[in-house]
Amino acid sequence: MLNFIVRRLIQVPLVMLALSLFIVGLTQLLTPEQRAAGYIRSDQQAARLEAIIEERGLRDPFVVQYGNWLGSTLKGDLGFSRASGQDVVQTIRERLPNTIELTLLTALPILLLGIALGTLSALHKDKLIDQILRVLTIIGYSLPTFVLGIVLLAVFYGYLGWLPGAGQVNIINQFALGDLRHYTGLLSIDAALNGRWDIAWDVLQHLILPAATLTVVSTATIVKVMRNNMLEALTSDYVRTARAKGLADRVVNNKHARRNALLSIVTLGGFLIINLLSGSLITEFIFGYPGVGLWMVEAGLRLDIPAVLGFALLSALIVVVVSTVVDILYGVVDPRVRFD
Amino acid sequence: MKKFALLSTLLLVGSAFAASPKDTLVIQESADIPTLDPGVTYDTASGAIVENIYETLLTYKGNSLRDLEPLLASKLPTISNGGRTVTFDLRKNVKFHTGNAMTCRDAEYSFERNLVTNSAESGNWFISESLLGTGSNANDDKTITWARIDKAVECNNAGQLVFTLPKPDPAFLAKLAYTGQSIVDSKHAISIGEWKGTEADWKNWVGKDLTGSNLNKQPSGTGAYRLVRRDANATLLQAFDGYWGKKPAIKNVVIQKVPEIAARQQAFLRGDADIIEGGGRSVDEQQIKGKPGVAWLDNLPNTSAFAIFMNQKIQDPALLGSGKLDGKGIPANFFNDVNVRRAFSHAFNYQQYIQDVQQGKGKQRTMLLPDTFPGYDSEVKTYSFDAAKARQYFQRAWGGNVWKNGFTLTANYRAGSVPSQTAMEILKRNIESLNPKFKVNIQQKQWSEMLADSKKGREAVILIGWAPDYADPDNFLYTFYSSNGFYAPRSNFKDASVDKWLEQARATVNTAQRNRLYSLVGNRVYEQAPYINVPAPVAYTFFRNNLQGVSAATFNPMTSFSYTGTLWKDLSKK
């Protein structure tokens, strides 16, 4: 097991190196003018285009440009992100905990709801409850995130006024944030640890709509997969044997059938968490939620190359770490899986 | 049911706190704020904050673009030595946000820092042109030495700030009103690792991009507001207790970043935000105007100028077709004939553009200069859409060959720009309707490519604009009309008289004489028609109706905070 983890961790720098080479290589397909356009915002700055190209060495050979980037990166300097107005490292340090907070609040309901509803649907195959769940799943699956997000925002914030709008906290709490001592980086938890329950509650309220959007959209996939897996498991020989032995339905369904059906959910759950941690781009954008996803959208729009590279490296790290955890969990769910 | 009731109560309690408090100004916008360092501030999103944290020596008086008044200077400067020496007395008892007292040394440091760094991203090229005679920095122009920078701006024994210009510059004072020329806290800047202010390390700072500088992270100015905190979600500022001027009514300012317009609109209509970035006139008129709690202010001055360029020396053979006047292309110097340019100018339907693009809120200007600017002459004639005149000029052009043989022309417009696309479509339709042998192809092009190609003269017909750095006619008229101007390689327009008048106008400080010269330029360019002068949009703004201090009488379009056209210190809430 330890060997497996070490092997995986060794892969991280190699994956990152290959990825950075690929991305910096891709940027070379753009002309120096196109890359320099990311540094300008107005016609007046456009007048300085050539000077910007010269100053940034955008006409230098690929090897020189990549070497410069790698040299700084190895010193821990990933450059300055124009999309965030901060250094890339500082941006990630500030925004990743926000995305983790959203992931924590979202992933568990998605997985639990998906597994429960998928199981329920399979156990009541073709009955009314199954039909309803299947229709809801198709709706959830087909609903574009930006449509759902805006509708939820318009109804629960704009019309009913039950929930707050965009951002992470209300105006009244914005100024208080500077006084908080940060322990975990997760704002709701840090606020609670500081005894500021009002801020913690405010943060949680702001998380409800983005979390609900993600939950509706992502749960549908898990329900679909779980239902299919359960149906397959319920008709398998070992389930039939278990029933023949006289085991109670509940035990057969939960312990025998569902455990096997969960195997692909573990994999799917891994992808889900990778997606959530890598930033739920559209959701964070709609709700102005200051996570890495929102940063990435802006970085992409502004051709903020240091940010794109930094984000790609972060994503690679997340993928390798989460995949490793998923593989370990796989072994826990299915003891036949070995790591040697 | 009880649980649901409890949840609803808690949620409602939470939302009750959402509305924007009376002493707090809440702004929601999608724009990022690239920097808070005045040394590199050259965009409106940064400028809107920097102008409230920092202050310049001079500023615009009320809504005027013609009159300047002292801000950190105690009075208007003394100009001597034939306009080459400009001496400022500085305001006493002014403190920076750190508590440091402002001295002449801070002003000297600020200008020297701008001259030393003068990075490509900054707007310091124009102050460098005034003080060093070149827009370049010491990396690009080896004649720039520390001694020259040091001598350009100095403090004399009386504690006055003295600028020494290589030649008189009538735009110099207007340039000083630009936010990027704000006075920074030199002691603080040096203490956090910025340039030391001496010859010892000046070379290390030449051309350095200050966007992410330490001063950007920890600004300290003399302005009415100080930065409290900046995070991914919001920028928070508070009224500075030690401010030398009148205490502002608004205590807190929160600038929230909300990229999605629907979310901003909801917040604005609920009163959670006092000001939001809108979605353009048609969207805002439909979704915001007339709603409860909304104040709408229209017919405000606009300071940008847009033109359709007609390049007189097209360098890209791909746009020329056959390259001859045989109906299948155009020669590279097609627009060299003034009749072609006049015909094009009469073929553009200005009123239709105003209607289609500007929802009826547009204004045809006499020259490529905002009508509120000094030097603008409203008496100069303008072109109007007139098919008969256009036909007449086409018939005269190129000895009648244009009319006889026809032409095929390719015009590019900026990808994604609806106004540019519409303008080109209007032009295409009108020209093609004049003669079946006339063919105008329009195609979209990425902005960056268009910028690069047009600079090399490789575009035939494009629509681009200019926004001011400072309120001086030279910033527009020289840019567009001089054969040494920034846009010259794009239009290849050269007129000896226009060149002479523009050079004379930038060398004299006599306002009446300058105005006369600019009128001459205006009349001559009407005759020569180097550009199609695209109507300027009429500006508007909207805000919550409890916000006070926003009106046409106070709105200054040179203020970067274009939502109100004022500084925050001049606002209050009912």
Side-chain angles (χ1 to χ4, degrees):
Chain A
M1 169 79 94
L2 190 67
N3 278 344
F4 170 76
I5 296 172
V6 171
R7 270 207 314 271
R8 274 295 176 86
L9 291 179
I10 289 172
Q11 285 176 9
V12 175
L14 296 174
V15 170
M16 287 179 162
L17 197 70
L19 199 69
S20 64
L21 263 169
F22 180 66
I23 294 172
V24 178
L26 271 182
T27 62
Q28 301 301 303
L29 297 175
L30 301 171
T31 61
E33 286 83 6
Q34 285 171 324
R35 277 177 284 143
Y39 293 92
I40 58 176
R41 297 165 65 92
S42 62
D43 290 313
Q44 295 101 307
Q45 279 179 326
R48 313 281 289 160
L49 196 69
E50 201 52 46
I52 290 171
I53 292 170
E54 283 303 313
E55 229 173 72
R56 305 266 160 191
L58 299 178
R59 289 200 204 283
D60 291 346
F62 167 68
V63 180
V64 175
Q65 291 190 46
Y66 184 74
N68 289 341
W69 177 83
L70 191 64
S72 321
T73 302
L74 291 176
K75 286 182 212 150
D77 175 14
L78 286 173
F80 181 77
S81 164
R82 280 166 293 117
S84 66
Q86 287 176 323
D87 292 338
V88 170
V89 174
Q90 196 190 340
T91 308
I92 293 173
R93 200 179 293 146
E94 189 180 307
R95 292 182 182 234
L96 187 59
N98 295 338
T99 299
I100 291 175
E101 204 164 11
L102 181 61
T103 303
L104 286 176
L105 203 81
T106 314
L108 210 61
I110 292 174
L111 287 171
L112 292 179
L113 212 64
I115 291 167
L117 295 179
T119 308
L120 193 70
S121 191
L123 292 176
H124 297 84
K125 186 172 177 276
D126 295 336
K127 290 181 190 158
L128 181 66
I129 192 160
D130 180 36
Q131 305 280 10
I132 293 171
L133 283 172
R134 280 161 68 188
V135 170
L136 289 178
T137 306
I138 289 168
I139 292 173
Y141 194 71
S142 327
L143 211 54
T145 316
F146 71 92
V147 172
L148 181 66
I150 289 174
V151 168
L152 290 180
L153 194 76
V155 173
F156 289 99
Y157 171 58
Y159 182 67
L160 295 171
W162 287 3
L163 289 165
Q168 202 177 13
V169 287
N170 279 327
I171 298 303
I172 202 88
N173 286 325
Q174 289 280 4
F175 283 86
L177 294 184
D179 302 330
L180 291 185
R181 203 166 157 201
H182 294 274
Y183 300 97
T184 63
L186 309 180
L187 193 53
S188 59
I189 295 173
D190 285 346
L193 291 173
N194 279 272
R196 291 300 303 266
W197 296 97
D198 55 331
I199 297 180
W201 174 235
D202 189 8
V203 175
L204 289 175
Q205 275 185 290
H206 276 83
L207 278 166
I208 293 173
L209 286 180
T213 308
L214 287 168
T215 304
V216 170
V217 174
S218 305
T219 304
T221 314
I222 309 274
V223 173
K224 248 171 62 170
V225 174
M226 189 65 196
R227 180 179 180 275
N228 289 346
N229 289 354
M230 266 304 272
L231 286 176
E232 201 181 317
L234 287 170
T235 53
S236 62
D237 290 344
Y238 65 89
V239 168
R240 209 171 299 123
T241 309
R243 287 194 202 285
K245 276 163 66 182
L247 288 175
D249 273 358
R250 205 172 148 203
V251 176
V252 174
N253 291 341
N254 291 350
K255 204 167 173 186
H256 293 259
R258 191 156 71 178
R259 184 160 182 153
N260 262 332
L262 278 176
L263 273 176
S264 50
I265 296 297
V266 171
T267 314
L268 208 59
F271 284 121
L272 172 78
I273 288 168
I274 286 169
N275 284 338
L276 291 173
L277 281 178
S278 302
S280 303
L281 308 186
I282 296 170
T283 309
E284 288 190 5
F285 185 85
I286 292 168
F287 292 98
Y289 187 76
V292 289
L294 178 56
W295 173 50
M296 198 52 240
V297 173
E298 283 156 1
L301 289 172
R302 293 205 52 194
L303 205 69
D304 183 353
I305 292 169
V308 172
L309 278 164
F311 182 80
L313 297 186
L314 173 71
S315 298
L317 187 69
I318 290 171
V319 168
V320 175
V321 170
V322 175
S323 307
T324 308
V325 173
V326 165
D327 287 344
I328 293 168
L329 276 179
Y330 221 78
V332 174
V333 176
D334 186 354
R336 290 171 300 177
V337 176
R338 292 284 176 270
F339 297 102
D340 300 330
Chain B
M1 193 63 196
K2 268 185 186 172
K3 276 183 191 168
F4 180 73
L6 178 68
L7 179 68
S8 298
T9 310
L10 285 171
L11 292 175
L12 284 169
V13 167
S15 60
F17 285 109
S20 150
K22 199 180 160 189
D23 63 351
T24 304
L25 179 69
V26 181
I27 304 146
Q28 287 190 351
E29 57 186 17
S30 69
D32 51 313
I33 300 154
T35 189
L36 296 184
D37 188 332
V40 70
T41 296
Y42 202 26
D43 66 281
T44 47
S46 305
I49 301 180
V50 171
E51 70 190 0
N52 287 286
I53 295 177
Y54 288 94
E55 288 174 318
T56 45
L57 295 174
L58 300 171
T59 191
Y60 296 99
K61 195 173 185 178
N63 67 355
S64 171
L65 300 183
R66 296 163 191 253
D67 302 320
L68 293 166
E69 63 181 10
L71 187 60
L72 282 181
S74 57
K75 57 183 184 192
L76 288 174
T78 312
I79 300 173
S80 56
N81 193 17
R84 289 180 57 234
T85 304
V86 182
T87 308
F88 278 98
D89 284 308
L90 300 179
R91 195 175 283 280
K92 307 270 185 237
N93 302 318
V94 174
K95 279 192 175 161
F96 287 107
H97 300 161
T98 53
N100 293 334
M102 185 197 75
T103 65
C104 183
R105 173 62 193 143
D106 294 304
E108 185 187 13
Y109 174 87
S110 305
F111 288 101
E112 285 179 349
R113 182 172 183 254
N114 288 350
L115 294 175
V116 166
T117 53
N118 190 6
S119 73
E121 296 82 0
S122 77
N124 289 323
W125 61 273
F126 57 77
I127 197 78
S128 181
E129 272 187 352
S130 296
L131 291 171
L132 302 176
T134 167
S136 307
N137 61 36
N139 282 341
D140 302 326
D141 184 340
K142 300 298 173 197
T143 66
I144 299 175
T145 58
W146 166 249
R148 283 183 66 197
I149 292 174
D150 192 33
K151 191 171 168 286
V153 50
E154 286 178 305
C155 292
N156 64 17
N157 291 336
Q160 292 172 305
L161 186 71
V162 183
F163 292 102
T164 307
L165 281 63
K167 58 180 184 183
D169 178 3
F172 183 62
L173 298 188
K175 289 177 180 179
L176 294 181
Y178 180 66
T179 315
Q181 306 307 331
S182 294
I183 308 305
V184 307
D185 183 345
S186 64
K187 279 195 200 112
H188 166 72
I190 295 165
S191 74
I192 58 174
E194 294 296 328
W195 172 54
K196 289 194 177 69
T198 63
E199 187 178 6
D201 66 336
W202 84 285
K203 277 276 185 192
N204 301 334
W205 290 84
V206 176
K208 192 156 181 173
D209 179 11
L210 302 173
T211 308
S213 71
N214 289 337
L215 200 59
N216 152 64
K217 293 168 196 159
Q218 301 169 59
S220 168
T222 60
Y225 289 86
R226 64 179 184 85
L227 179 75
V228 176
R229 199 168 54 78
R230 228 179 140 194
D231 62 25
N233 201 46
T235 301
L236 310 176
L237 299 108
Q238 227 159 31
F240 171 43
D241 286 336
Y243 184 56
W244 60 269
K246 194 180 154 215
K247 201 174 166 64
I250 300 273
K251 196 180 162 206
N252 308 310
V253 178
V254 181
I255 301 161
Q256 283 183 298
K257 188 166 180 170
V258 181
E260 170 57 44
I261 188 169
R264 294 198 299 272
Q265 286 172 336
Q266 298 291 347
F268 180 70
L269 293 173
R270 282 180 55 81
D272 291 349
D274 301 300
I275 290 167
I276 59 162
E277 180 186 331
R281 187 178 275 275
S282 59
V283 173
D284 297 334
E285 280 192 349
Q286 202 173 15
Q287 298 182 14
I288 301 288
K289 194 178 178 183
K291 295 274 167 68
V294 175
W296 184 274
L297 188 61
D298 216 325
N299 300 317
L300 294 170
N302 176 296
T303 52
S304 56
F306 288 88
I308 297 178
F309 285 53
M310 293 177 278
N311 187 1
Q312 297 182 36
K313 198 173 159 193
I314 305 158
Q315 307 279 346
D316 185 2
L319 297 177
L320 302 178
S322 64
K324 289 182 272 187
L325 267 182
D326 56 1
K328 293 173 190 158
I330 49 165
N333 58 350
F334 179 61
F335 287 111
N336 221 0
D337 188 329
V338 69
N339 292 304
V340 176
R341 303 197 298 270
R342 286 177 187 159
F344 268 70
S345 298
H346 275 303
F348 188 72
N349 192 333
Y350 302 89
Q351 292 311 313
Q352 188 190 351
Y353 180 84
I354 290 173
Q355 207 51 50
D356 293 356
V357 175
Q358 298 162 338
Q359 277 73 47
K361 289 281 186 184
K363 182 174 183 178
Q364 226 184 315
R365 290 190 187 133
T366 59
M367 51 220 282
L368 285 168
L369 176 71
D371 42 305
T372 42
F373 263 49
Y376 183 80
D377 184 352
S378 56
E379 301 298 315
V380 173
K381 283 190 277 185
T382 55
Y383 281 88
S384 56
F385 172 54
D386 190 329
K389 278 189 182 164
R391 193 174 291 116
Q392 230 170 53
Y393 282 118
F394 270 130
Q395 282 165 347
R396 283 186 212 162
W398 288 88
N401 284 330
V402 171
W403 190 257
K404 194 172 77 187
N405 300 336
F407 62 84
T408 302
L409 172 80
T410 303
N412 292 327
Y413 65 89
R414 183 177 169 175
S417 166
V418 177
S420 297
Q421 186 181 353
T422 312
M424 291 306 178
E425 280 167 357
I426 290 173
L427 196 62
K428 174 186 166 70
R429 197 171 55 236
N430 293 343
I431 287 176
E432 289 183 349
S433 69
L434 294 173
N435 183 335
K437 290 178 185 166
F438 290 178
K439 176 88 183 148
V440 178
N441 298 322
I442 55 172
Q443 56 189 23
Q444 60 174 324
K445 195 165 180 178
Q446 287 304 315
W447 191 40
S448 55
E449 287 173 62
M450 209 162 146
L451 288 172
D453 283 346
S454 65
K455 194 181 173 186
K456 293 173 198 151
R458 293 173 63 85
E459 294 290 352
V461 178
I462 50 168
L463 191 158
I464 33 180
W466 186 257
D469 298 311
Y470 45 89
D472 189 273
D474 185 75
N475 195 225
F476 278 88
L477 299 179
Y478 199 87
T479 303
F480 278 105
Y481 298 126
S482 166
S483 63
N484 290 316
F486 172 62
Y487 278 143
R490 291 159 170 87
S491 67
N492 284 295
F493 168 64
K494 185 174 171 64
D495 184 279
S497 303
V498 169
D499 278 351
K500 187 182 75 186
W501 293 327
L502 286 172
E503 292 298 340
Q504 284 174 352
R506 63 167 26 187
T508 175
V509 288
N510 182 320
T511 307
Q513 201 180 338
R514 291 185 85 207
N515 289 347
R516 193 182 62 82
L517 289 165
Y518 288 135
S519 293
L520 290 173
V521 170
N523 285 307
R524 178 76 182 159
V525 293
Y526 170 76
E527 295 297 333
Q528 289 300 308
Y531 303 98
I532 299 174
N533 196 343
V534 176
V538 170
Y540 68 96
T541 189
F542 58 90
F543 47 92
R544 293 296 301 179
N545 60 8
N546 60 338
L547 189 67
Q548 307 292 295
V550 199
S551 70
T554 56
F555 189 95
N556 191 311
M558 291 304 288
T559 305
S560 291
F561 191 64
S562 55
Y563 301 116
T564 64
T566 63
L567 296 179
W568 304 331
K569 66 177 181 178
D570 298 322
L571 299 172
S572 62
K573 276 169 86 174
K574 262 200 302 200

